[in-house]
Amino acid sequence: MKDQAEMDNSMPTPSKISASGVQVYYGDNHAIKDVNVEIADKTVTAFIGPSGCGKSTFLRCINRMNDTIDVCRVEGDIRIDGEDIYDPKVDPVQLRAKVGMVFQKPNPFPKSIYDNVAYGPKIHGLARDKAELDEIVETALRRGAIWDEVKDRLDAPGTGLSGGQQQRLCIARAVATEPEVLLMDEPCSALDPIATAQVEELIDDLRQRFSVVIVTHSMQQAARVSQRTAFFHLGNLVEMDDTDKIFTNPRDPRTESYISGRIG
Ligand SMILES: Nc1ncnc2c1ncn2[C@@H]1O[C@H](COP(=O)(O)OP(=O)(O)OP(=O)(O)O)[C@@H](O)[C@H]1O
Ligand SMILES: [Mg+2]
């Protein structure tokens, strides 16, 4: 615990997300064990670690997506800007507009490109009229680095795009509600190297506006896109530090073994 507190003091910017004493159980399976972490604003934080160590589980705690899994139980305290996101007063739907998520497999709605992006702003009442909605859609598609490719076919189905385009559409959809945090669970694993490079560039851009948390199996990707890296192992957050420190001089032998390819 002391180690983690010391590391957190070296945070480059004030923290956006604070988690303490987080435990997650799926029935009897204790999947996240007493995780304490501070995640900075306007920073990309990478979660790395071997398959099954709990990266996705912990990520889903941050927008209460685990609420949708029957056997899943979350304990502990998670705050965004000091607000307890598990407070019964918090509406998970509102929370998920503020804490957007992008999944491993692009999952556009079976709707037009325009409607994919307009859906969230519509249900959250972010536009007063059609002109304003058009503007929100265009801005989001530009932020998703896909505007030029789709501007002439906004009425075409989102599912008709290529995999890389679909993923950028999903990113545009996630940013359209002006989130404060963007969670990305292996967002590039279904993409080719060109689409991956586009999404990575985009992530770097998004960091100007949000706190971005990305789960990745690629250590090269973590090194390229993130400023902070957290290493998970068997449900424990082993260590978190500046990304270059984790990759050059980690403190824990388990991190060392993982980054040098001996475990995982
Ligand atoms: N929906 C679920 N129901 C039951 N158990 C689950 C569920 N999701 C994850 N688990 C269990 O929780 C543990 C952590 O899984 P999690 O998916 O968070 O790992 P991960 O680090 O994201 O792995 P990967 O890199 O393979 O995606 C595993 O033991 C897994 O079997
Ligand atoms: Mg996962």
Side-chain angles (χ1 to χ4, degrees):
M1 285 310 95
K2 183 164 171 285
D3 271 9
Q4 245 184 35
E6 279 171 9
M7 277 182 263
D8 294 338
N9 288 339
S10 68
M11 294 277 296
T13 48
S15 84
K16 179 77 182 171
I17 306 164
S18 304
S20 58
V22 176
Q23 319 273 354
V24 183
Y25 302 86
Y26 295 99
D28 295 336
N29 179 8
H30 193 177
I32 290 291
K33 297 166 186 157
D34 193 27
V35 165
N36 299 281
V37 68
E38 299 289 326
I39 293 174
D41 201 7
K42 312 244 158 60
T43 298
V44 179
T45 301
F47 287 176
I48 62 168
S51 184
C53 67
K55 304 177 296 294
S56 299
T57 298
F58 188 71
L59 196 71
R60 288 197 299 266
C61 291
I62 304 172
N63 69 347
R64 292 185 52 178
M65 280 299 278
N66 287 323
D67 290 18
T68 64
I69 302 172
D70 268 353
V71 293
C72 188
R73 201 169 85 244
V74 178
E75 291 173 4
D77 190 76
I78 302 181
R79 289 171 189 269
I80 296 183
D81 292 330
E83 191 197 2
D84 175 6
I85 63 166
Y86 283 84
D87 187 294
K89 289 196 296 272
V90 171
D91 172 3
V93 176
Q94 293 290 342
L95 174 71
R96 289 174 203 139
K98 190 165 132 175
V99 185
M101 190 156 189
V102 174
F103 299 87
Q104 181 167 9
K105 219 170 130 253
N107 59 348
F109 303 136
K111 289 171 179 287
S112 68
I113 292 169
Y114 183 96
D115 285 339
N116 261 276
V117 181
Y119 181 79
K122 262 194 212 157
I123 63 167
H124 293 287
L126 301 184
R128 272 169 308 196
D129 52 31
K130 176 75 166 72
E132 216 168 77
L133 191 60
D134 287 352
E135 201 177 302
I136 290 173
V137 169
E138 176 172 341
T139 304
L141 288 167
R142 285 189 188 281
R143 288 202 188 120
I146 191 178
W147 171 251
D148 289 335
E149 288 155 77
V150 300
K151 62 175 191 273
D152 300 322
R153 47 169 168 156
L154 294 175
D155 292 330
T159 48
L161 297 169
S162 75
Q165 289 173 327
Q166 287 187 22
Q167 194 61 308
R168 281 178 287 140
L169 175 65
C170 291
I171 294 171
R173 181 178 68 189
V175 303
T177 54
E178 295 285 339
E180 297 172 21
V181 176
L182 189 62
L183 309 176
M184 308 179 101
D185 196 347
E186 300 186 49
C188 300
S189 65
L191 307 185
D192 68 25
I194 292 169
T196 297
Q198 285 167 329
V199 170
E200 285 183 2
E201 206 174 305
L202 178 57
I203 291 170
D204 196 54
D205 225 44
L206 296 175
R207 154 169 90 91
Q208 313 302 321
R209 312 172 50 83
F210 326 117
S211 169
V212 179
V213 186
I214 177 172
V215 171
T216 178
H217 271 132
S218 158
M219 288 185 262
Q220 289 80 2
Q221 178 166 71
R224 282 193 300 264
V225 302
S226 74
Q227 292 76 52
R228 301 275 293 173
T229 295
F231 172 65
F232 287 81
H233 186 241
L234 300 175
N236 299 296
L237 173 55
V238 173
E239 70 180 298
M240 171 156 177
D241 213 324
D242 289 343
T243 296
D244 49 4
K245 174 99 185 341
I246 292 283
F247 288 110
T248 54
N249 190 18
R251 356 177 141 196
D252 194 285
R254 287 167 293 180
T255 316
E256 168 74 42
S257 298
Y258 182 71
I259 60 165
S260 60
R262 285 196 295 272
I263 53 173

